[in-house]
Amino acid sequence: MSRYKSPFHQLHIVYGTNKGKNYTEEEDRFLICMLHQLGFDKENVYDEIRTSIRTAPQFRFDWFIKSRTALELQRRCNTLITLIEKENQEMEEREEEERKQRKRGPKLKVTSSQKQTAGQKRKAESGETPKGRTKRKKA
């Protein structure tokens, strides 16, 4: 939440393949933001979220979200929290990988033509042909 100035508008949730067809992204944003605002560890937080949904002007005509029970809202919030945790873990892994690459420094890439040239030089010095046979000296 601290990444966004206005999480009610800017929060983006990466759903992956299991988005679900019932809830919109706006509803999911609202659920997460209200859960954060009211406190995750409160006893009756999902009843309070349900009340705030019913009084929110953006959901005035959204009968689907207004008709959800506290248990249904709890399940949806738990699903969203799992998705967000997964996204944060992936971001941390990417950042850690970038830090490791910066410490190692840029790797020099050797092209296949450079490898082949070096191999041919060694063969020429040892007297072998490109096919691996030794050259016969003419008498």
Side-chain angles (χ1 to χ4, degrees), residues 5-18:
K5 285 184 179 179
S6 176
F8 278 97
H9 302 290
Q10 295 174 338
L11 179 66
H12 179 70
I13 300 168
V14 179
Y15 292 101
T17 58
N18 59 349

Side-chain angles (χ1 to χ4, degrees), residues 23-68:
Y23 292 90
T24 65
E25 191 168 356
E26 181 183 11
E27 293 165 350
D28 288 343
R29 268 196 307 261
F30 185 84
L31 289 173
I32 291 297
C33 292
M34 289 306 294
L35 187 63
H36 178 73
Q37 191 175 26
L38 296 172
F40 180 71
D41 49 347
K42 280 177 96 174
E43 187 175 320
N44 58 351
V45 69
Y46 298 105
D47 290 321
E48 291 180 23
I49 289 175
R50 185 172 182 231
T51 305
S52 63
I53 287 172
R54 290 181 178 207
T55 59
Q58 66 261 40
F59 302 123
R60 186 180 316 150
F61 301 112
D62 190 346
W63 301 111
F64 174 76
I65 190 75
K66 288 176 96 171
S67 66
R68 298 299 97 190

